[in-house]
Amino acid sequence: MSISTSKIEELIGRLKNNDKSALDEIFTFYYPRLYNFSKKILKIEDEIDDILQDVFLKIWLHRSKINNPETFNPFIFTITKNALLNLIRSNAKNQAFKEEFSKRAIASEYVTQNPFEFEEIKTEIDKIVAKLPEKRQKVFLLSRNEGLSNKEIAKKLNISEKTVEDHITHAIRFLKKSLSEIGILSLLYFYLFL
Amino acid sequence: MEKLFRKYLNGTCNPDEFNEVLNLLCTKENDDKLSSLLDKSWSDVLLENTDGRQNNQLLDKIHHRIALEESNISIKRFTIARNLLKIAAILIVGLIISTVFIYNRSKTRIYSDVVENIKTPYGAKTSFKLPDGSDVWLNSASALSYQKQFGKIREVELSGQAYFDVIKDGKPFVVKTRYGNIEVSGTSFDVKAFDDDDFETTLVEGIVKIRNIKNQVITLKPGQQSIINPDNEFEIKNVKTDLFTSWKDGKLIFINEPFQKVARQLEKWYNVKIEIQGEKLKNLGYTGKIEMETFSEVLDLINVTTSIKYKFDKNTRILKIYGQ
């Protein structure tokens, strides 16, 4: 579902007439989308609502400057993007933030209790991936090496998105199991984050 | 860079790649490139189906903040108002805004240790939930701070006046003030701890313990009020509790209250300064109920129920009251 230019035009007109219910409608449409967008970038969900609160406040406060319905989407995108980047930039030196951020951003097979084992884990992971059945291996490599989304992989291989998800879940489970067998991942950890 | 960024958005980076992305994100020179990469993701999100997630609480907060922003604008206009009529009109706006509960949240972020500071300006009040689900009403010109995640003790720090409706959850709940601490488990009570007034605790339900700064402890029963005077001495009396808690429902009730004390409450309630001329008038007992009235209506009300005259200076926002 998308929002039509004429609808945006109507909403902008009502905003300019100080109609707060127009902001409610904008919120209803944009909030879930901005949330998903922010989650992709920030990963830490606790922070998202505070950022979006500012975004909607700004839309209201700058309503007199919004004129062109064509620039409304880019306008919302720009203030949200800037707020997200600012938050990441101002906290990047903060160890606690960095840990939270990386824990959520890094592929789950790498999330171990010891961050210094990376090279070792990578070598082991490559070895284990090579043992995966052909189709599963292909799906997993498209995800991890090419950075394709599940949707893109499904399209490329002409299979369903659900099948892609299943392949990846099973691949991760197999990886974690193998890693715990060779002692890289503790068994407890393996069960906790399965 | 596109591939790396795609991985980041899909959550499939390895630790090295993530560090690289973090560097890219933190480099200002990359802003244009980042914008175009993120813009693609934004276009995708716009086309995707959403789960229709909504958050009415957040929408309420946004409206509160809009009300706050706009009340600041009306205070600026205040100074150029030409006559009492205009001032009255703005006060009405101010009052409407204050009744929709103004939010003024400022956050101090220290990661593992996030502290919430909630402040209300003169002429506004607010209500909100604490992390444990307990309700707080914060009166005008007051401030409450607490950790976003409570530890073994649910601890809040208050200056000014607040009404607490505390949920029982096994952990003690402590209100810290400059006059001493109040310890409860699950109760409803009102605390007044302004710098320029007595320290009052009024208990509506349950049991509270009050510890003054000399570490002396008393226990209150429902319907009782404790006052700690400037010498840190306790006084306990039985009171009609709604006289002291009605403010949270937008009402001020006074029964034979010295006019000086009434004026102090009105100052905070309406964001004005009140000067009372004459000792006799200061101690005049005032009885009446103020409920959602505008400031000029309150003046009229006082005018009718007492024999006073007043002058209002629009620039200093000082109201002078004379006896007749």
Side-chain angles (χ1 to χ4, degrees), chain B residues 6-107:
Chain B
R6 233 171 27 224
K7 282 187 160 190
Y8 161 62
L9 294 174
N10 292 331
T12 54
C13 285
N14 69 36
D16 268 10
E17 290 164 334
F18 173 72
N19 283 334
E20 211 178 316
V21 169
L22 194 58
N23 267 332
L24 290 174
L25 288 172
C26 292
T27 312
K28 275 225 152 62
E29 288 69 40
N30 290 335
D31 271 2
D32 290 344
K33 187 83 187 150
L34 285 171
S35 284
S36 73
L37 289 168
L38 291 173
D39 191 30
K40 196 194 160 293
S41 156
W42 171 234
S43 313
D44 290 348
V45 167
L46 275 180
L47 293 173
E48 273 169 21
N49 287 326
T50 65
D51 49 6
R53 168 200 292 273
Q54 285 301 322
N55 187 337
N56 287 328
Q57 220 182 341
L58 186 69
L59 186 57
D60 283 348
K61 275 192 202 171
I62 292 163
H63 282 298
H64 295 151
R65 281 190 53 197
I66 288 173
L68 180 70
E69 291 284 338
E70 293 183 345
S71 79
N72 284 340
I73 295 166
S74 58
I75 286 167
K76 276 177 218 148
R77 281 189 203 140
F78 201 93
T79 53
I80 50 166
R82 293 276 158 96
N83 54 45
L84 193 60
L85 206 66
K86 275 189 187 166
I87 294 164
I90 289 161
L91 278 167
I92 294 168
V93 173
L95 187 69
I96 292 166
I97 289 164
S98 68
T99 54
V100 296
F101 295 161
I102 288 176
Y103 253 72
N104 184 6
R105 284 188 169 219
S106 65
K107 276 192 189 172

Side-chain angles (χ1 to χ4, degrees), chain A residues 103-179:
Chain A
K103 201 165 85 193
R104 287 174 165 81
I106 290 171
S108 63
E109 64 271 22
Y110 284 102
V111 180
T112 64
Q113 61 274 60
N114 189 348
F116 304 108
E117 294 168 344
F118 169 59
E119 282 305 328
E120 196 185 343
I121 296 173
K122 193 172 182 320
T123 320
E124 293 302 331
I125 283 179
D126 289 346
K127 276 193 227 162
I128 300 161
V129 170
K131 289 184 207 156
L132 286 170
E134 196 191 327
K135 191 92 181 210
R136 187 160 296 168
Q137 190 184 121
K138 191 163 187 186
V139 169
F140 193 75
L141 289 177
L142 283 174
S143 166
R144 272 26 185 191
N145 285 2
E146 302 305 314
L148 298 187
S149 69
N150 293 358
K151 209 181 194 165
E152 288 163 327
I153 298 171
K155 218 172 142 192
K156 197 177 165 99
L157 300 180
N158 206 14
I159 51 177
S160 77
E161 228 181 302
K162 177 83 179 59
T163 312
V164 175
E165 277 170 27
D166 285 349
H167 275 309
I168 289 179
T169 317
H170 282 108
I172 291 173
R173 197 172 293 173
F174 179 69
L175 271 165
K176 289 201 161 180
K177 190 162 170 276
S178 311
L179 286 174

Side-chain angles (χ1 to χ4, degrees), chain A:
Chain A
M1 193 194 87
S2 194
I3 191 165
S4 68
T5 311
S6 60
K7 180 70 188 170
I8 292 178
E9 206 166 356
E10 180 218 312
L11 288 171
I12 294 175
R14 281 166 56 201
L15 277 183
K16 284 183 183 289
N17 281 326
N18 302 327
D19 178 355
K20 286 187 179 139
S21 71
L23 189 69
D24 294 352
E25 282 184 40
I26 291 170
F27 186 88
T28 306
F29 178 79
Y30 282 101
Y31 175 73
R33 288 160 176 87
L34 286 172
Y35 194 95
N36 289 348
F37 174 65
S38 306
K39 192 174 150 188
K40 276 193 176 183
I41 292 153
L42 195 57
K43 318 285 182 190
I44 306 171
E45 290 193 58
D46 293 354
E47 302 290 333
I48 295 176
D49 278 347
D50 284 349
I51 286 191
L52 296 187
Q53 189 182 335
D54 289 339
V55 168
F56 287 101
L57 183 70
K58 277 192 178 131
I59 294 174
W60 178 258
L61 295 178
H62 295 288
R63 63 192 182 282
S64 65
K65 292 174 217 150
I66 306 168
N67 292 312
N68 185 350
E70 302 294 336
T71 58
F72 192 61
N73 266 329
F75 168 70
I76 293 180
F77 161 73
T78 306
I79 46 181
T80 311
K81 176 208 72 180
N82 288 345
L84 291 166
L85 285 179
N86 284 341
L87 183 87
I88 293 172
R89 285 170 183 176
S90 56
N91 286 300
K93 295 269 183 294
N94 180 314
Q95 203 48 43
F97 173 83
K98 221 180 134 182
E99 253 167 51
E100 278 297 302
F101 191 20
S102 60
K103 201 165 85 193
R104 287 174 165 81
I106 290 171
S108 63
E109 64 271 22
Y110 284 102
V111 180
T112 64
Q113 61 274 60
N114 189 348
F116 304 108
E117 294 168 344
F118 169 59
E119 282 305 328
E120 196 185 343
I121 296 173
K122 193 172 182 320
T123 320
E124 293 302 331
I125 283 179
D126 289 346
K127 276 193 227 162
I128 300 161
V129 170
K131 289 184 207 156
L132 286 170
E134 196 191 327
K135 191 92 181 210
R136 187 160 296 168
Q137 190 184 121
K138 191 163 187 186
V139 169
F140 193 75
L141 289 177
L142 283 174
S143 166
R144 272 26 185 191
N145 285 2
E146 302 305 314
L148 298 187
S149 69
N150 293 358
K151 209 181 194 165
E152 288 163 327
I153 298 171
K155 218 172 142 192
K156 197 177 165 99
L157 300 180
N158 206 14
I159 51 177
S160 77
E161 228 181 302
K162 177 83 179 59
T163 312
V164 175
E165 277 170 27
D166 285 349
H167 275 309
I168 289 179
T169 317
H170 282 108
I172 291 173
R173 197 172 293 173
F174 179 69
L175 271 165
K176 289 201 161 180
K177 190 162 170 276
S178 311
L179 286 174
S180 70
E181 274 162 13
I182 55 171
I184 283 186
L185 211 58
S186 81
L187 214 56
L188 174 70
Y189 210 75
F190 164 67
Y191 284 115
L192 274 177
F193 292 91
L194 198 64

Side-chain angles (χ1 to χ4, degrees), chain B residues 307-318:
Chain B
S307 49
I308 56 158
K309 280 193 290 191
Y310 59 80
K311 229 191 231 171
F312 188 69
D313 185 320
K314 63 199 178 216
N315 293 319
T316 53
R317 278 190 283 165
I318 293 175

Side-chain angles (χ1 to χ4, degrees), chain B residues 142-290:
Chain B
S142 303
L144 189 81
S145 66
Y146 56 91
Q147 292 206 341
K148 217 174 171 182
Q149 280 179 317
F150 282 134
K152 284 196 178 113
I153 297 173
R154 298 176 282 171
E155 199 172 73
V156 301
E157 208 168 323
L158 172 74
S159 77
Q161 186 171 21
Y163 181 88
F164 295 91
D165 206 341
V166 176
I167 282 179
K168 247 193 192 123
D169 80 343
K171 292 179 188 169
F173 187 96
V174 178
V175 182
K176 291 170 82 174
T177 76
R178 60 187 291 254
Y179 301 99
N181 294 352
I182 301 159
E183 301 164 18
V184 310
S185 52
T187 56
S188 300
F189 61 102
D190 184 87
V191 183
K192 208 161 105 184
F194 286 109
D195 288 357
D196 57 359
D197 214 336
D198 290 331
F199 174 51
E200 280 177 13
T201 308
T202 311
L203 183 62
V204 179
E205 252 177 63
I207 280 187
V208 304
K209 258 195 241 169
I210 300 155
R211 190 184 299 273
N212 68 7
I213 49 172
K214 289 180 182 162
N215 220 7
Q216 294 163 321
V217 180
I218 56 148
T219 305
L220 281 191
K221 293 193 194 94
Q224 286 188 327
Q225 179 184 63
S226 90
I227 296 174
I228 296 184
N229 66 19
D231 299 321
N232 283 307
E233 285 159 351
F234 284 108
E235 184 194 328
I236 299 180
K237 52 184 181 182
N238 291 316
V239 294
K240 270 191 76 154
T241 56
D242 39 337
L243 294 187
F244 300 91
T245 62
S246 60
W247 62 268
K248 78 179 171 66
D249 307 313
K251 284 181 255 180
L252 293 177
I253 305 173
F254 304 105
I255 293 176
N256 205 14
E257 187 83 359
F259 199 60
Q260 175 84 308
K261 284 195 99 169
V262 174
R264 207 168 280 162
Q265 286 226 41
L266 292 178
E267 284 181 337
K268 289 174 181 126
W269 200 259
Y270 290 106
N271 190 22
V272 291
K273 188 101 191 91
I274 301 177
E275 283 175 12
I276 302 170
Q277 313 283 321
E279 285 308 310
K280 212 174 138 196
L281 190 56
K282 278 182 192 169
N283 296 317
L284 182 81
Y286 179 79
T287 299
K289 190 166 103 178
I290 295 168

